[in-house]
Amino acid sequence: MTTIIREIFMPTWHYEHNGQRHGPVSSEVITALIHTNTLNGQSLVWNPALPGWTALSQTELSGQLPVSQIPPALPSHKISNVAVGFLCVAPLLGFLLQAMVAGAMSSSEFTLDQEVTTALQTNKYWYIALLLNIGLSLWDCKRLEKAGIDTEGFGKTALIVPVYLWKRAKSLQSGTHFFWIWLASFGFTLLI
C-alpha cells in the first residue's frame, strides 16, 4: 500500500544524459542532478504525466533550476552593425588600401600611375585586403560575444568572410544582406 501511495504522490522521472535514458528516479534525485550541473533547463525529462520528452525548464521541476546571473543575449536589432558594415565593403576598402600602399612604395612621382596600376593588376599587395577582411571579421565576432551572442558555432569561419557573414545572419536570425553586399563588393573589385 505504501508503494502505491508513494508512486501516486512522488512521480518517477526519467532523464536524458549524453544521449541515453536514465531512470526512473525521484524528484529529489533530479534536483541533486541539477545542483551538480549534470542537468540544466535544456535537459530532457519525462514522467507519465507528460506527453513526451520535455525540456526540464518546461516542467514543474523548473523551480529547482538556479537563477541565472548571466543576462541573456541582446536582441539582434540592438546589436551595433558598425563592424559588419565596414566588413561588407572590406573588399573595396582593401583595394583602396592596396592602391595607397602601391603609391607610397612608388619609386618616382613620374612613374606613380604606372606603378600603382601594375601593382593592382598583379595583385602585388593582395595580403592587405585579406588582413583587412579577417581583422574586421574578428572585430565583429568579438562585438557579438560582448552582446551575449554564442559565437562558438562560428568556429574559424571568421577567416572565411562570406561563410562568417552567412553564419552570422543565421545566428542572429537576420537578413543575409551583409553577405550579399560583401559578394557584390568582392565581385566589383575583381572587375576593376
Side-chain angles (χ1 to χ4, degrees), residues 91-92 95 120-121 123 183-192:
L92 292 172
F95 185 80
L120 292 175
Q121 287 176 341
N123 220 2
L183 281 182
S185 177
F186 182 74
F188 186 72
T189 58
L190 291 178
L191 292 175
I192 298 175

Side-chain angles (χ1 to χ4, degrees), residues 133-145:
N133 276 270
I134 292 172
L136 288 171
S137 179
L138 292 171
W139 179 38
D140 183 61
C141 192
K142 289 294 181 197
R143 291 176 64 90
L144 291 178
E145 285 176 10

Side-chain angles (χ1 to χ4, degrees), residues 85-119:
F86 281 115
L87 178 59
C88 70
V89 294
L92 292 172
L93 295 174
F95 185 80
L96 292 173
L97 283 174
Q98 288 178 61
M100 291 171 58
V101 168
M105 302 300 271
S106 173
S107 58
S108 162
E109 66 181 70
F110 301 110
T111 60
L112 176 70
D113 290 342
Q114 181 184 1
E115 288 183 44
V116 169
T117 303
T118 303

Side-chain angles (χ1 to χ4, degrees), residues 35-117:
H35 292 293
T36 60
N37 294 323
T38 303
L39 299 179
N40 59 39
Q42 289 77 39
S43 299
L44 295 177
V45 295
W46 178 85
N47 75 18
L50 296 171
W53 289 96
T54 307
L56 192 144
S57 62
Q58 302 299 311
T59 69
E60 63 197 55
L61 297 170
S62 63
Q64 302 302 317
L65 293 168
V67 177
S68 176
Q69 299 298 317
I70 301 171
L74 292 173
S76 60
H77 69 278
K78 290 291 188 178
I79 296 173
S80 171
N81 287 323
V82 171
V84 77
F86 281 115
L87 178 59
C88 70
V89 294
L92 292 172
L93 295 174
F95 185 80
L96 292 173
L97 283 174
Q98 288 178 61
M100 291 171 58
V101 168
M105 302 300 271
S106 173
S107 58
S108 162
E109 66 181 70
F110 301 110
T111 60
L112 176 70
D113 290 342
Q114 181 184 1
E115 288 183 44
V116 169
T117 303

